[in-house]
Amino acid sequence: MHFTGRTWRPPYEAHSVILQATSGCTYQQCAFCSLYKNERFRMSPMEQFEQDLAEIKHYQPYARRIFWTGANPFAMSYENLKLRALTVRDYLIQCQVIAMFASIRDIKNKEVWQLKKLRAMGINGLSIGVESGDDETLALANKGYTSADILEQCRKLDEAGIEYYFVYMTGLAGKGGGYRNAVNSAALFSQLNPYFLSVDSLTLFADTALYQLAQQGLFVPAGEKERILELQLFISKLHIRTHLLANTVSNFAPVTAYLPYDRKKAINELQFILDHTDELAMQEYRKNLTSLGISG
């Protein structure tokens, strides 16, 4: 297999077959992220792509779900996505889903009719690290789009029938910003249909722009209990059916829920943490995180 650079997938893709379609990130400007730092975006050469598919066919000929690696393979043009999706079907005739990371920016240059055709070819299950639905927080994180962009582009996915998953990040709005971030994000997400909501909690690493802002006193990180209060509020304000997965290593304690049915249970679990855990112990946990592994 021709894996290069950072090979990374979400926790919920653990049982998918992993195939490199691209490497690196087309954007590399998110203020909190250094995951693909100094790694140029590139598409895997078709020769290597097919060699990897042949190897997968040899070992897992009945694979039904493929996850393409790279920060955002959906950045490829419609024609490139079409070519690679059809090539997957040439080798793996039982493959039903081709999933991958995507950005809101990657959807903009694709028409609904193109998205529908990609869906028919098996492209489905886009993991989108929106992080927030609040414009002030999106600007702070330098995501390169607004809440209106999220709404417009994801409604195209809804129309095309493409399943997608959001990442939400507690603490990203900084100290005192969690309430605004939770309320505005929940209001936006409640107008859409994310099948999963994966929740991370901001962890600052030294090679990120947001860390440098914190060192200069221009960004004050939210406390650990403030983040849990933010997550409680976020859960309470969501008015859609969705799976919430706050169980990555960046979260002090794992919480999962199928909303709205598990809403009260999840809020109570978080309240137990607030009532029975010391803030300093939670801060110590975050200080000891050296990487986020496969978190969203």
Side-chain angles (χ1 to χ4, degrees):
M1 301 295 288
H2 296 89
F3 290 115
T4 59
R6 181 67 65 97
T7 301
W8 191 55
R9 53 89 181 151
Y12 44 80
E13 296 288 357
H15 300 293
S16 300
V17 174
I18 306 300
L19 173 66
Q20 180 170 294
T22 64
S23 59
C25 175
T26 59
Y27 187 61
Q28 293 196 22
Q29 296 179 52
C30 294
F32 57 87
C33 181
S34 61
L35 192 62
Y36 297 95
K37 189 173 183 180
N38 300 322
E39 185 178 341
R40 293 181 62 185
F41 179 85
R42 67 185 286 271
M43 295 186 294
S44 297
M46 279 302 298
E47 181 181 2
Q48 293 182 4
F49 189 74
E50 291 203 53
Q51 288 172 355
D52 289 350
L53 280 170
E55 187 171 343
I56 292 170
K57 181 179 180 180
H58 178 76
Y59 290 103
Q60 299 188 61
Y62 306 114
R64 298 169 69 87
R65 186 181 181 99
I66 297 282
F67 184 81
W68 288 356
T69 66
N72 55 329
F74 204 66
M76 287 190 287
S77 69
Y78 166 73
E79 291 298 335
N80 271 320
L81 289 167
K82 175 183 175 180
L83 172 63
R84 289 171 190 265
L86 292 175
T87 303
V88 168
R89 305 303 285 271
D90 288 341
Y91 285 84
L92 303 170
I93 61 173
Q94 295 196 32
C95 181
Q96 296 180 343
V97 177
I98 302 168
M100 68 195 76
F101 286 118
S103 166
I104 295 299
R105 295 178 301 275
D106 303 335
I107 309 167
K108 285 186 175 183
N109 65 351
K110 296 173 180 69
E111 303 293 335
V112 171
W113 70 265
Q114 294 175 318
L115 295 171
K116 287 181 177 179
K117 285 186 174 291
L118 292 174
R119 174 65 182 88
M121 296 171 205
I123 290 181
N124 199 21
L126 301 182
S127 292
I128 307 174
V130 292
E131 277 47 92
S132 171
D134 171 62
D135 282 326
E136 191 172 335
T137 306
L138 290 168
L140 174 66
N142 198 30
K143 291 298 295 182
Y145 49 78
T146 66
S147 59
D149 294 325
I150 296 172
L151 189 64
E152 179 182 0
Q153 300 308 317
C154 289
R155 281 182 169 167
K156 286 164 59 177
L157 296 180
D158 287 336
E159 186 176 349
I162 292 179
E163 187 176 280
Y164 55 93
Y165 323 128
F166 281 167
V167 177
Y168 176 78
M169 187 174 288
T170 62
L172 186 58
K175 184 176 181 180
Y179 181 92
R180 183 196 70 247
N181 192 27
V183 170
N184 290 340
S185 297
L188 178 69
F189 296 172
S190 293
Q191 299 176 65
L192 296 167
N193 297 286
Y195 186 73
F196 286 129
L197 278 171
S198 180
V199 179
D200 289 335
S201 190
L202 175 68
T203 304
L204 291 176
F205 295 110
D207 52 354
T208 63
L210 205 54
Y211 176 89
Q212 298 303 321
L213 289 176
Q215 293 297 105
Q216 299 167 32
L218 301 176
F219 175 77
V220 181
E224 295 298 322
K225 291 197 173 185
E226 183 180 353
R227 298 164 189 238
I228 292 181
L229 288 168
E230 177 185 345
L231 182 54
Q232 278 186 319
L233 183 61
F234 179 64
I235 292 171
S236 72
K237 295 292 185 180
L238 281 168
H239 299 295
I240 48 173
R241 291 186 181 183
T242 192
H243 299 267
L244 183 130
L245 308 173
N247 58 352
T248 63
V249 69
S250 69
N251 294 282
F252 177 78
V255 174
T256 62
Y258 180 49
L259 301 177
Y261 306 105
D262 298 331
R263 189 192 315 276
K264 186 175 180 180
K265 172 177 170 287
I267 289 173
N268 287 342
E269 287 178 9
L270 292 168
Q271 190 60 47
F272 183 86
I273 298 168
L274 288 171
D275 293 341
H276 294 89
T277 309
D278 182 71
E279 170 78 21
L280 292 177
M282 298 168 75
Q283 290 177 3
E284 190 64 24
Y285 172 83
R286 189 156 311 281
K287 281 193 289 186
N288 289 328
L289 286 177
T290 56
S291 73
L292 298 184
I294 56 170
S295 76

